[in-house]
Short mmCIF file of all heavy atoms in Angstrom, two decimals:
data_model
loop_
_atom_site.label_atom_id
_atom_site.label_comp_id
_atom_site.label_asym_id
_atom_site.label_seq_id
_atom_site.Cartn_x
_atom_site.Cartn_y
_atom_site.Cartn_z
N MET A 1 9.74 -20.28 -32.57
CA MET A 1 8.48 -20.11 -31.89
C MET A 1 8.32 -21.21 -30.85
O MET A 1 8.58 -22.36 -31.11
CB MET A 1 7.34 -20.19 -32.91
CG MET A 1 6.00 -20.01 -32.29
SD MET A 1 4.77 -19.86 -33.60
CE MET A 1 3.51 -20.84 -32.92
N ARG A 2 7.90 -20.86 -29.68
CA ARG A 2 7.69 -21.83 -28.59
C ARG A 2 6.24 -21.77 -28.17
O ARG A 2 5.61 -20.72 -28.20
CB ARG A 2 8.59 -21.51 -27.42
CG ARG A 2 10.06 -21.72 -27.75
CD ARG A 2 10.88 -21.52 -26.55
NE ARG A 2 10.52 -22.52 -25.55
CZ ARG A 2 11.37 -23.14 -24.76
NH1 ARG A 2 12.63 -22.84 -24.84
NH2 ARG A 2 10.98 -24.02 -23.90
N THR A 3 5.74 -22.88 -27.72
CA THR A 3 4.39 -22.93 -27.19
C THR A 3 4.45 -23.20 -25.69
O THR A 3 5.47 -23.63 -25.17
CB THR A 3 3.57 -24.04 -27.88
OG1 THR A 3 4.21 -25.29 -27.63
CG2 THR A 3 3.46 -23.80 -29.38
N GLU A 4 3.38 -22.95 -25.03
CA GLU A 4 3.31 -23.20 -23.61
C GLU A 4 3.21 -24.72 -23.36
O GLU A 4 2.60 -25.42 -24.16
CB GLU A 4 2.08 -22.51 -23.01
CG GLU A 4 2.17 -20.99 -23.05
CD GLU A 4 3.33 -20.48 -22.20
OE1 GLU A 4 3.52 -20.96 -21.07
OE2 GLU A 4 4.05 -19.61 -22.68
N PRO A 5 3.80 -25.20 -22.26
CA PRO A 5 3.69 -26.64 -21.96
C PRO A 5 2.25 -27.01 -21.65
O PRO A 5 1.47 -26.17 -21.20
CB PRO A 5 4.58 -26.83 -20.76
CG PRO A 5 4.92 -25.49 -20.25
CD PRO A 5 4.62 -24.49 -21.31
N ALA A 6 1.93 -28.26 -21.88
CA ALA A 6 0.59 -28.75 -21.59
C ALA A 6 0.34 -28.69 -20.10
O ALA A 6 1.25 -28.89 -19.30
CB ALA A 6 0.44 -30.19 -22.09
N PRO A 7 -0.88 -28.38 -19.70
CA PRO A 7 -1.20 -28.33 -18.27
C PRO A 7 -0.86 -29.65 -17.58
O PRO A 7 -1.16 -30.72 -18.09
CB PRO A 7 -2.71 -28.07 -18.24
CG PRO A 7 -3.03 -27.50 -19.56
CD PRO A 7 -2.05 -28.09 -20.52
N GLY A 8 -0.16 -29.57 -16.44
CA GLY A 8 0.19 -30.75 -15.69
C GLY A 8 1.49 -31.41 -16.11
O GLY A 8 1.94 -32.35 -15.49
N SER A 9 2.11 -30.92 -17.20
CA SER A 9 3.37 -31.51 -17.64
C SER A 9 4.53 -30.78 -17.00
O SER A 9 4.40 -29.68 -16.49
CB SER A 9 3.48 -31.46 -19.16
OG SER A 9 3.61 -30.12 -19.60
N ASP A 10 5.68 -31.41 -17.05
CA ASP A 10 6.91 -30.82 -16.50
C ASP A 10 7.53 -29.94 -17.58
O ASP A 10 7.99 -30.44 -18.60
CB ASP A 10 7.87 -31.92 -16.06
CG ASP A 10 9.12 -31.38 -15.40
OD1 ASP A 10 9.26 -30.14 -15.27
OD2 ASP A 10 9.96 -32.20 -15.00
N PRO A 11 7.58 -28.63 -17.41
CA PRO A 11 8.11 -27.76 -18.46
C PRO A 11 9.64 -27.89 -18.61
O PRO A 11 10.19 -27.47 -19.60
CB PRO A 11 7.73 -26.36 -18.01
CG PRO A 11 7.53 -26.48 -16.53
CD PRO A 11 7.09 -27.88 -16.27
N THR A 12 10.30 -28.47 -17.64
CA THR A 12 11.76 -28.65 -17.72
C THR A 12 12.10 -30.11 -17.43
O THR A 12 12.56 -30.44 -16.33
CB THR A 12 12.49 -27.73 -16.72
OG1 THR A 12 11.99 -28.00 -15.41
CG2 THR A 12 12.30 -26.26 -17.06
N PRO A 13 11.88 -31.01 -18.36
CA PRO A 13 12.18 -32.44 -18.11
C PRO A 13 13.66 -32.66 -17.90
O PRO A 13 14.49 -31.89 -18.37
CB PRO A 13 11.68 -33.13 -19.36
CG PRO A 13 11.69 -32.08 -20.41
CD PRO A 13 11.43 -30.79 -19.71
N SER A 14 14.00 -33.69 -17.17
CA SER A 14 15.39 -34.02 -16.91
C SER A 14 16.05 -34.48 -18.21
O SER A 14 15.45 -35.15 -19.03
CB SER A 14 15.49 -35.15 -15.90
OG SER A 14 14.85 -34.77 -14.71
N SER A 15 17.30 -34.12 -18.37
CA SER A 15 18.02 -34.56 -19.55
C SER A 15 19.00 -35.64 -19.14
O SER A 15 19.58 -35.59 -18.06
CB SER A 15 18.76 -33.40 -20.20
OG SER A 15 19.72 -32.89 -19.32
N GLY A 16 19.20 -36.61 -20.00
CA GLY A 16 20.16 -37.67 -19.74
C GLY A 16 19.63 -38.82 -18.93
O GLY A 16 20.30 -39.83 -18.79
N GLU A 17 18.46 -38.73 -18.38
CA GLU A 17 17.90 -39.83 -17.62
C GLU A 17 17.12 -40.73 -18.55
O GLU A 17 16.51 -40.28 -19.51
CB GLU A 17 16.98 -39.31 -16.51
CG GLU A 17 17.71 -38.58 -15.41
CD GLU A 17 16.78 -38.14 -14.31
OE1 GLU A 17 15.66 -38.67 -14.22
OE2 GLU A 17 17.16 -37.26 -13.54
N ARG A 18 17.16 -42.03 -18.26
CA ARG A 18 16.44 -43.00 -19.08
C ARG A 18 15.44 -43.74 -18.22
O ARG A 18 15.70 -44.02 -17.05
CB ARG A 18 17.42 -44.02 -19.68
CG ARG A 18 18.33 -43.40 -20.71
CD ARG A 18 19.40 -44.33 -21.16
NE ARG A 18 18.93 -45.64 -21.54
CZ ARG A 18 19.61 -46.47 -22.28
NH1 ARG A 18 20.79 -46.14 -22.75
NH2 ARG A 18 19.13 -47.66 -22.59
N ALA A 19 14.31 -44.05 -18.80
CA ALA A 19 13.32 -44.84 -18.11
C ALA A 19 13.83 -46.27 -17.97
O ALA A 19 14.64 -46.73 -18.77
CB ALA A 19 12.00 -44.82 -18.87
N THR A 20 13.36 -46.98 -16.99
CA THR A 20 13.80 -48.35 -16.76
C THR A 20 13.60 -49.22 -17.99
O THR A 20 14.44 -50.03 -18.34
CB THR A 20 13.04 -48.96 -15.56
OG1 THR A 20 13.24 -48.13 -14.44
CG2 THR A 20 13.53 -50.34 -15.25
N GLU A 21 12.46 -49.04 -18.66
CA GLU A 21 12.19 -49.88 -19.83
C GLU A 21 13.07 -49.53 -21.03
O GLU A 21 13.09 -50.26 -22.01
CB GLU A 21 10.70 -49.84 -20.22
CG GLU A 21 10.21 -48.48 -20.63
CD GLU A 21 9.66 -47.65 -19.47
OE1 GLU A 21 9.82 -48.03 -18.31
OE2 GLU A 21 9.05 -46.62 -19.74
N ASP A 22 13.78 -48.41 -20.98
CA ASP A 22 14.70 -48.05 -22.05
C ASP A 22 16.06 -48.72 -21.91
O ASP A 22 16.88 -48.65 -22.81
CB ASP A 22 14.91 -46.54 -22.11
CG ASP A 22 13.67 -45.80 -22.59
OD1 ASP A 22 12.81 -46.45 -23.20
OD2 ASP A 22 13.58 -44.59 -22.35
N ASP A 23 16.30 -49.37 -20.78
CA ASP A 23 17.58 -50.05 -20.54
C ASP A 23 17.55 -51.39 -21.26
O ASP A 23 16.60 -52.18 -21.07
CB ASP A 23 17.78 -50.24 -19.05
CG ASP A 23 19.12 -50.82 -18.71
OD1 ASP A 23 19.97 -50.96 -19.61
OD2 ASP A 23 19.33 -51.14 -17.53
N PRO A 24 18.55 -51.71 -22.08
CA PRO A 24 18.56 -52.99 -22.79
C PRO A 24 18.45 -54.19 -21.84
O PRO A 24 17.87 -55.21 -22.20
CB PRO A 24 19.91 -53.00 -23.51
CG PRO A 24 20.26 -51.56 -23.67
CD PRO A 24 19.68 -50.87 -22.47
N ALA A 25 18.98 -54.08 -20.62
CA ALA A 25 18.90 -55.19 -19.69
C ALA A 25 17.46 -55.47 -19.27
O ALA A 25 17.12 -56.61 -18.95
CB ALA A 25 19.75 -54.89 -18.46
N ALA A 26 16.60 -54.47 -19.31
CA ALA A 26 15.20 -54.68 -18.95
C ALA A 26 14.49 -55.56 -19.98
O ALA A 26 13.48 -56.17 -19.69
CB ALA A 26 14.48 -53.33 -18.84
N TRP A 27 15.04 -55.62 -21.19
CA TRP A 27 14.46 -56.44 -22.26
C TRP A 27 15.18 -57.77 -22.39
O TRP A 27 14.97 -58.51 -23.34
CB TRP A 27 14.52 -55.67 -23.57
CG TRP A 27 13.61 -54.49 -23.57
CD1 TRP A 27 13.91 -53.22 -23.16
CD2 TRP A 27 12.24 -54.47 -23.95
NE1 TRP A 27 12.81 -52.42 -23.26
CE2 TRP A 27 11.77 -53.14 -23.76
CE3 TRP A 27 11.36 -55.42 -24.44
CZ2 TRP A 27 10.47 -52.78 -24.03
CZ3 TRP A 27 10.06 -55.03 -24.74
CH2 TRP A 27 9.64 -53.73 -24.53
N GLY A 28 16.07 -58.06 -21.45
CA GLY A 28 16.77 -59.33 -21.49
C GLY A 28 18.10 -59.27 -22.23
O GLY A 28 18.78 -60.28 -22.38
N ASP A 29 18.48 -58.11 -22.73
CA ASP A 29 19.75 -57.95 -23.42
C ASP A 29 20.83 -57.63 -22.41
O ASP A 29 20.65 -56.81 -21.53
CB ASP A 29 19.69 -56.81 -24.44
CG ASP A 29 18.68 -57.07 -25.55
OD1 ASP A 29 18.36 -58.26 -25.78
OD2 ASP A 29 18.22 -56.12 -26.18
N ALA A 30 21.95 -58.28 -22.55
CA ALA A 30 23.08 -57.95 -21.69
C ALA A 30 23.69 -56.65 -22.15
O ALA A 30 23.81 -56.40 -23.35
CB ALA A 30 24.11 -59.07 -21.74
N THR A 31 24.05 -55.79 -21.22
CA THR A 31 24.58 -54.49 -21.59
C THR A 31 26.03 -54.55 -22.01
O THR A 31 26.51 -53.71 -22.73
CB THR A 31 24.42 -53.49 -20.43
OG1 THR A 31 25.06 -54.03 -19.29
CG2 THR A 31 22.98 -53.22 -20.13
N SER A 32 26.78 -55.55 -21.55
CA SER A 32 28.19 -55.62 -21.89
C SER A 32 28.56 -56.90 -22.63
O SER A 32 29.70 -57.32 -22.60
CB SER A 32 29.03 -55.49 -20.63
OG SER A 32 28.72 -56.57 -19.76
N SER A 33 27.58 -57.52 -23.28
CA SER A 33 27.88 -58.76 -23.99
C SER A 33 28.63 -58.46 -25.28
O SER A 33 28.41 -57.44 -25.91
CB SER A 33 26.59 -59.52 -24.30
OG SER A 33 25.82 -58.82 -25.25
N PRO A 34 29.54 -59.35 -25.67
CA PRO A 34 30.26 -59.14 -26.92
C PRO A 34 29.31 -59.29 -28.11
O PRO A 34 28.29 -59.98 -28.02
CB PRO A 34 31.32 -60.23 -26.91
CG PRO A 34 30.79 -61.27 -26.00
CD PRO A 34 29.94 -60.56 -24.99
N ASP A 35 29.64 -58.64 -29.21
CA ASP A 35 28.82 -58.76 -30.41
C ASP A 35 28.86 -60.20 -30.91
O ASP A 35 29.87 -60.88 -30.83
CB ASP A 35 29.36 -57.85 -31.51
CG ASP A 35 29.01 -56.40 -31.26
OD1 ASP A 35 28.19 -56.12 -30.36
OD2 ASP A 35 29.57 -55.54 -31.95
N THR A 36 27.74 -60.62 -31.44
CA THR A 36 27.68 -61.94 -32.05
C THR A 36 27.86 -61.79 -33.56
O THR A 36 27.86 -60.67 -34.08
CB THR A 36 26.33 -62.61 -31.76
OG1 THR A 36 25.31 -61.83 -32.40
CG2 THR A 36 26.06 -62.72 -30.27
N ALA A 37 28.00 -62.88 -34.24
CA ALA A 37 28.12 -62.83 -35.71
C ALA A 37 26.87 -62.21 -36.31
O ALA A 37 26.95 -61.50 -37.33
CB ALA A 37 28.35 -64.24 -36.26
N ASN A 38 25.73 -62.46 -35.70
CA ASN A 38 24.49 -61.90 -36.22
C ASN A 38 24.50 -60.38 -36.10
O ASN A 38 23.99 -59.67 -36.98
CB ASN A 38 23.28 -62.48 -35.50
CG ASN A 38 21.97 -62.08 -36.14
OD1 ASN A 38 21.83 -62.13 -37.37
ND2 ASN A 38 21.01 -61.69 -35.33
N ASP A 39 25.06 -59.83 -35.01
CA ASP A 39 25.15 -58.37 -34.85
C ASP A 39 25.97 -57.77 -35.99
O ASP A 39 25.58 -56.75 -36.56
CB ASP A 39 25.78 -58.01 -33.52
CG ASP A 39 24.90 -58.36 -32.34
OD1 ASP A 39 23.66 -58.36 -32.49
OD2 ASP A 39 25.47 -58.65 -31.26
N ALA A 40 27.09 -58.37 -36.28
CA ALA A 40 27.94 -57.87 -37.36
C ALA A 40 27.21 -57.95 -38.71
O ALA A 40 27.30 -57.02 -39.51
CB ALA A 40 29.24 -58.67 -37.41
N ARG A 41 26.50 -59.05 -38.94
CA ARG A 41 25.75 -59.19 -40.20
C ARG A 41 24.68 -58.13 -40.33
O ARG A 41 24.50 -57.51 -41.38
CB ARG A 41 25.12 -60.57 -40.30
CG ARG A 41 24.39 -60.80 -41.63
CD ARG A 41 23.60 -62.09 -41.63
NE ARG A 41 22.53 -62.11 -40.66
CZ ARG A 41 21.33 -61.54 -40.85
NH1 ARG A 41 21.06 -60.88 -41.96
NH2 ARG A 41 20.39 -61.61 -39.92
N LEU A 42 23.95 -57.87 -39.23
CA LEU A 42 22.90 -56.87 -39.28
C LEU A 42 23.45 -55.47 -39.53
O LEU A 42 22.83 -54.67 -40.23
CB LEU A 42 22.09 -56.90 -37.98
CG LEU A 42 21.22 -58.14 -37.78
CD1 LEU A 42 20.63 -58.16 -36.38
CD2 LEU A 42 20.15 -58.23 -38.82
N ARG A 43 24.60 -55.15 -38.94
CA ARG A 43 25.22 -53.84 -39.19
C ARG A 43 25.69 -53.70 -40.63
O ARG A 43 25.66 -52.62 -41.21
CB ARG A 43 26.37 -53.61 -38.24
CG ARG A 43 25.92 -53.31 -36.84
CD ARG A 43 27.07 -52.84 -35.97
NE ARG A 43 26.65 -52.82 -34.59
CZ ARG A 43 26.83 -53.81 -33.73
NH1 ARG A 43 27.47 -54.88 -34.09
NH2 ARG A 43 26.39 -53.70 -32.50
N ALA A 44 26.18 -54.80 -41.20
CA ALA A 44 26.70 -54.77 -42.57
C ALA A 44 25.59 -54.83 -43.62
O ALA A 44 25.78 -54.39 -44.75
CB ALA A 44 27.67 -55.92 -42.78
N ASP A 45 24.44 -55.36 -43.25
CA ASP A 45 23.35 -55.56 -44.20
C ASP A 45 22.51 -54.29 -44.31
O ASP A 45 21.43 -54.20 -43.72
CB ASP A 45 22.50 -56.75 -43.76
CG ASP A 45 21.50 -57.18 -44.82
OD1 ASP A 45 21.66 -56.75 -45.99
OD2 ASP A 45 20.58 -57.94 -44.48
N LYS A 46 23.01 -53.32 -45.03
CA LYS A 46 22.32 -52.03 -45.18
C LYS A 46 21.87 -51.87 -46.64
O LYS A 46 22.56 -52.32 -47.55
CB LYS A 46 23.25 -50.88 -44.85
CG LYS A 46 23.73 -50.88 -43.42
CD LYS A 46 24.68 -49.73 -43.19
CE LYS A 46 25.29 -49.79 -41.83
NZ LYS A 46 26.33 -48.78 -41.67
N PRO A 47 20.78 -51.20 -46.86
CA PRO A 47 20.38 -50.91 -48.23
C PRO A 47 21.43 -50.03 -48.91
O PRO A 47 22.12 -49.24 -48.25
CB PRO A 47 19.07 -50.12 -48.07
CG PRO A 47 18.57 -50.46 -46.71
CD PRO A 47 19.79 -50.73 -45.89
N PRO A 48 21.56 -50.15 -50.22
CA PRO A 48 22.59 -49.39 -50.93
C PRO A 48 22.50 -47.88 -50.75
O PRO A 48 23.50 -47.20 -50.71
CB PRO A 48 22.35 -49.75 -52.40
CG PRO A 48 21.54 -51.00 -52.39
CD PRO A 48 20.79 -51.03 -51.10
N HIS A 49 21.29 -47.36 -50.59
CA HIS A 49 21.13 -45.92 -50.48
C HIS A 49 21.58 -45.39 -49.11
O HIS A 49 21.60 -44.18 -48.89
CB HIS A 49 19.70 -45.50 -50.77
CG HIS A 49 18.68 -46.06 -49.82
ND1 HIS A 49 18.15 -47.33 -50.00
CD2 HIS A 49 18.13 -45.57 -48.71
CE1 HIS A 49 17.29 -47.57 -49.01
NE2 HIS A 49 17.26 -46.51 -48.23
N TRP A 50 21.91 -46.25 -48.15
CA TRP A 50 22.40 -45.80 -46.86
C TRP A 50 23.86 -45.43 -46.90
O TRP A 50 24.37 -44.84 -45.96
CB TRP A 50 22.17 -46.87 -45.80
CG TRP A 50 20.75 -46.94 -45.32
CD1 TRP A 50 19.66 -46.39 -45.90
CD2 TRP A 50 20.28 -47.62 -44.17
NE1 TRP A 50 18.53 -46.69 -45.21
CE2 TRP A 50 18.89 -47.44 -44.13
CE3 TRP A 50 20.90 -48.37 -43.20
CZ2 TRP A 50 18.11 -47.98 -43.13
CZ3 TRP A 50 20.11 -48.90 -42.21
CH2 TRP A 50 18.73 -48.71 -42.18
N GLY A 51 24.54 -45.78 -47.97
CA GLY A 51 25.95 -45.38 -48.13
C GLY A 51 26.89 -46.17 -47.46
O GLY A 51 27.44 -46.67 -46.73
#
């Protein structure tokens, strides 16, 4: 089931485009920086139910 788009909205939004604020560099993060030890720790530190 589909509904009609809201008045004034774009019924066919662009796909694959990102807003400027969605870019990690906009938040001060380097886009090509190597992982730090903290990055590896955060990826490994998962709750047991995550598998």
Side-chain angles (χ1 to χ4, degrees):
M1 181 171 138
R2 293 185 63 141
T3 60
E4 293 298 315
S9 67
D10 183 359
T12 56
S14 302
S15 63
E17 292 183 17
R18 292 172 49 161
T20 303
E21 63 270 10
D22 290 341
D23 185 7
W27 292 89
D29 296 337
T31 56
S32 61
S33 68
D35 285 349
T36 64
N38 189 46
D39 292 331
R41 182 188 64 81
L42 290 172
R43 285 190 191 94
D45 190 15
K46 298 178 186 173
H49 63 275
W50 283 15

